[in-house]
Structure formats: C-alpha cells, structure tokens
Amino acid sequence: MILATNNKGKLKEIRSILSDYKIYSLKEKNIEVEIVEDKDTFFENAKKKAMEIYEMTHEPTIADDSGLCIHALNNFPGVMTHRFLGEDATDEDRNNYLIRQLDNYEDRSASVICNLVYYDGKNIVCGEGVLEGTIAKERRGQNGFGFDEIFELPNGKTLAELSSEEKNRMSARYLAATDLKRKLENARNA
C-alpha cells in the first residue's frame, strides 16, 4: 500500500502500527505531489488524498487526515489544524497561539480525531480514532510533532512526553489504524 503523505512522523507512526503491511511512502514511489486539503471533514480530506494517489498509481492507497478539536473554541482548529496560521507557521507558532487562546478558559478539554481511509479503486474503508485530553498551559516534551507538546492526557503527560512506543499504543492515529486494520480483515474474510 502507498501512504499518501510526505510527513515523516506520520509515515513512521503508521508503519509501526500497521507493521503487517508493506507500506510505501510517496517519496519511495517517486511521487511528488501536494494534495490540497480543502474539504470540511477529516474523512473527506483523507478520502480525497487516497483517491487522488490511487488514480496516479493504481495501487491500494491509505491516507489520513487528523486534527485537534478544542471544545471551548467550537472544535477549532479542526480540519485546519496544520494550516490555521498559514503555511509558513511552525508547530511552535501554532501551539503558542492555541495556548494563548485558552488563557481565559477553564474548560481546556480537547479531542484529537484521526480518519484513516483505504482506497483500492473500488472499496473505501475508513478507520476512525478519537483521543480525549486537555490543552496544557505550556509546551512540554521533546518527542513528537504537531500539537503533541500541548495535548495533555488524563495522566498529566503530554503526547510529546511519551516514548514513541507509548504514543503509538494509544494515539488517535493508532486507534484509527487499528480500526482500519480490523475493518480490512473483516472485509477480506467476508
């Protein structure tokens, strides 16, 4: 399968989680494309990416879209998690901005939502994962990317304070990949 991403962090995570499958990156398939995520839902963005890469390669493709939904901010930034401050913003810029937005909020609860879509030219299968937590008051941790350093789990640690192995056993992407794997196996055995 091809994983429709250029994000090294996502590639590493998904390869670890779906270790039963041979997963190729876009780079390994010599595909240089940036697919615009312009849909309103995680599912629609992931489906669009999977279908577009499939149309180029005619190989089964998986694609994800995920993001941070902060409850007090009406689930902002949601599908715009990576882009809400513009394409040139860094993870640090986005995380600092989100922490400042919650300065006057008592409710700091948030969800990480991931949709992982498989497409083989005929079948569309979606795995979904949701991880609940809160937004920390400051960035903490060195292991991770995106909003990992501000997403705090019920145990008080941020995702960036976990080892890769710990994170991969409970992340929204892990939950989505596990759900997708189960659905693919069920479809194969049907």
Side-chain angles (χ1 to χ4, degrees):
M1 284 187 262
I2 298 172
L3 177 61
T5 188
N6 291 311
N7 183 308
K8 291 178 185 177
K10 285 183 184 181
L11 179 63
K12 183 179 176 184
E13 274 189 333
I14 290 176
R15 275 186 172 156
S16 173
I17 295 162
L18 295 178
S19 59
D20 295 350
Y21 297 89
K22 177 67 177 162
I23 297 177
Y24 296 93
S25 68
L26 292 177
K27 187 176 182 177
E28 289 168 329
K29 290 290 186 173
N30 296 315
I31 300 169
E32 289 188 35
V33 64
E34 200 64 43
I35 297 171
V36 177
E37 296 177 347
D38 56 0
K39 302 298 181 186
D40 294 328
T41 66
F42 298 118
F43 170 73
E44 289 295 329
N45 278 330
K47 182 176 88 170
K48 177 184 179 186
K49 289 188 281 188
M51 293 176 88
E52 285 190 24
I53 297 299
Y54 177 85
E55 291 305 318
M56 291 177 199
T57 64
H58 298 285
E59 294 183 48
T61 302
I62 54 175
D64 88 310
D65 193 30
S66 59
L68 179 64
C69 298
I70 301 172
H71 305 157
L73 303 179
N74 294 321
N75 292 324
F76 177 83
V79 294
M80 297 298 291
T81 295
H82 188 71
R83 302 176 304 280
F84 71 90
L85 284 181
E87 293 297 327
D88 295 330
T90 65
D91 289 344
E92 184 177 342
D93 295 336
R94 287 184 286 275
N95 290 339
N96 288 337
Y97 176 87
L98 292 172
I99 289 170
R100 284 193 308 273
Q101 292 305 299
L102 290 174
D103 276 348
N104 297 317
Y105 286 90
E106 203 169 303
D107 177 11
R108 301 177 74 85
S109 63
S111 304
V112 179
I113 298 173
C114 178
N115 280 193
L116 187 60
V117 173
Y118 167 90
Y119 181 65
D120 62 9
K122 184 170 56 170
N123 301 297
I124 295 173
V125 182
C126 180
E128 183 174 53
V130 179
L131 183 64
E132 300 293 342
T134 58
I135 302 302
K137 294 187 177 187
E138 61 188 9
R139 294 178 306 135
R140 297 192 322 267
Q142 302 297 318
N143 190 27
F145 60 96
F147 49 80
D148 288 353
E149 63 186 9
I150 66 167
F151 190 81
E152 191 174 88
L153 301 164
N155 67 8
K157 287 186 175 183
T158 66
L159 288 172
E161 292 176 306
L162 302 178
S163 69
S164 295
E165 295 75 26
E166 289 173 312
K167 180 182 169 192
N168 285 349
R169 287 193 304 266
M170 48 94 63
S171 70
R173 195 166 288 115
Y174 168 82
L175 297 171
T178 301
D179 188 36
L180 178 64
K181 185 177 179 180
R182 180 183 53 77
K183 289 175 178 175
L184 289 174
E185 288 169 357
N186 287 346
R188 198 175 314 152
N189 296 329

